[in-house]
Amino acid sequence: MKPAQFQYAAPESVDEALAILAKYGGDGKILAGGQSLVPLLAMRLARPAVLIDLNRLADLDYIRAEDGEIAIGAMTRQRAVERSPLVRDRLPLLWEAIRFVGHPQIRNRGTVGGSLAHADPSAELPAVAVATGATMVLHRGKTRRTINAEEFFVSYLTTALEPDELLVEVRFPVRDSAGTAFDEVARRHGDYALAGVAAMVTVRDGTCRQVRLAFTGVGPVPVRIPDAESALTGRAPTEPAFAEAAHIVSERLDPDSDIHASAAYRKHVAGVLTTRALTRAVERATQQTDEDRA
């Protein structure tokens, strides 16, 4: 199929893009990498009055360390994140997860902001944002606001972005002492996850001090299970403790069934992935602690 007719705008500044958004509101659609939007246009599932192409906004393409965080511009290509030594060394969870996103051709064009704003419930980057406690920087007119990742994702393909707002930056806190791991199961590498988990664990004095788990593919938004996190906090990171957390995850998740997998299968897989991710995260946290002492 071919897209329905639309106007095309290619602003050369954030202010110009915001002015167009303010004019068209919900009838405008942002084009970043286009890896999700273009198929929707082709199938006429999206019918914007105007397509606002952000690819000339070089000011939104960056990765930099600022005040204990890694700030990533919304138009930063996923491939740039994958190749960034700064992300590899300071945000290993994002660096590990980004390689599960589609295929290299997809990551060459796909953007960090585009993936997050699209809010696909099976995507990897939203789960990483929730697991790390990232904040989104949203721009409207002359004002900016920040919102944490858990509040940003509202439902299937729905975020807290207002029609005239633009996601301009994502800020990931750096937790050098934490061990992290990402894992997922998909029908083929590069397909959307049937279930996946982003794990972050801090280990001190032989016990888990902070645990964060965010799941993808098992709900309308990235899902956290606080009871599973609490079951590990303050305990030694042992196989029985991981098994207990995995059991809680499988019991508390309430995913949908679809043509790709049943709800029961997703619940089971999420539990298995929990054990795997926690094991790797704790190993990395322990290694990091040993290196710090050395």
Side-chain angles (χ1 to χ4, degrees):
M1 294 183 65
K2 295 182 179 179
Q5 187 175 10
F6 57 82
Q7 297 183 57
Y8 174 79
E12 298 189 356
S13 70
V14 171
D15 288 343
E16 185 181 352
L18 290 171
I20 298 170
L21 268 179
K23 177 180 178 180
Y24 287 93
D27 292 327
K29 200 69 176 176
I30 295 295
L31 174 67
Q35 302 305 292
S36 299
L37 176 59
V38 170
L40 294 178
L41 292 170
M43 292 184 288
R44 300 199 174 193
L45 296 175
R47 294 169 174 255
V50 59
L51 194 64
I52 306 168
D53 187 346
L54 303 185
N55 281 278
R56 297 185 182 183
L57 304 188
D59 289 349
L60 297 185
D61 181 3
Y62 56 83
I63 303 172
R64 55 194 182 217
E66 294 181 351
D67 303 323
E69 298 178 313
I70 303 298
I72 300 180
M75 287 301 294
T76 304
R77 305 293 173 185
Q78 294 160 3
R79 193 67 158 171
V81 171
E82 183 179 1
R83 291 174 170 172
S84 168
L86 180 61
V87 173
R88 181 194 63 211
D89 296 339
R90 306 300 302 281
L91 282 177
L93 181 58
L94 176 60
W95 184 77
E96 183 175 12
I98 202 80
R99 291 173 291 173
F100 285 88
V101 177
H103 301 281
Q105 296 88 338
I106 297 293
R107 299 194 293 274
N108 283 341
R109 292 298 303 168
T111 63
V112 172
S115 177
L116 293 170
H118 184 57
D120 191 293
S122 296
E124 293 81 7
L125 298 192
V128 172
V130 169
T132 57
T135 55
M136 316 296 186
V137 181
L138 314 182
H139 199 166
R140 169 202 281 171
K142 299 297 182 181
T143 63
R144 289 193 177 203
R145 69 181 176 112
T146 59
I147 183 171
N148 67 55
E150 289 191 68
E151 294 176 341
F152 180 75
F153 300 107
V154 176
S155 187
Y156 294 101
L157 306 178
T158 305
T159 71
L161 275 166
E162 297 293 339
D164 59 347
E165 272 187 322
L166 191 64
L167 173 63
V168 295
E169 183 180 85
V170 189
R171 303 186 69 89
F172 294 90
V174 174
R175 296 184 172 91
D176 290 325
S177 60
T180 63
F182 185 91
D183 206 350
E184 70 175 38
V185 167
R187 294 174 67 89
R188 297 170 299 182
H189 179 73
D191 285 0
Y192 285 112
L194 300 177
V197 60
M200 176 177 290
V201 183
T202 300
V203 178
R204 189 165 60 249
D205 299 328
T207 59
C208 299
R209 299 295 185 179
Q210 185 180 44
V211 181
R212 292 179 68 94
L213 299 167
F215 296 86
T216 187
V218 293
V221 297
V223 178
R224 288 182 66 191
I225 308 294
D227 288 347
E229 298 171 349
S230 299
L232 284 173
T233 305
R235 295 180 60 183
T238 62
E239 290 186 9
F242 296 160
E244 180 180 339
H247 176 73
I248 293 172
V249 166
S250 296
E251 288 293 313
R252 302 294 169 82
L253 285 177
D254 186 26
D256 293 328
S257 295
D258 56 30
I259 61 173
H260 302 294
S262 67
Y265 177 76
R266 285 190 163 96
K267 288 162 68 77
H268 172 72
V269 168
V272 173
L273 293 177
T274 297
T275 301
R276 291 181 185 174
L278 286 171
T279 300
R280 293 210 315 272
V282 166
E283 288 175 352
R284 292 166 180 173
T286 303
Q287 180 181 9
Q288 181 65 44
T289 301
D290 292 341
E291 291 176 355
D292 292 342
R293 289 174 177 171

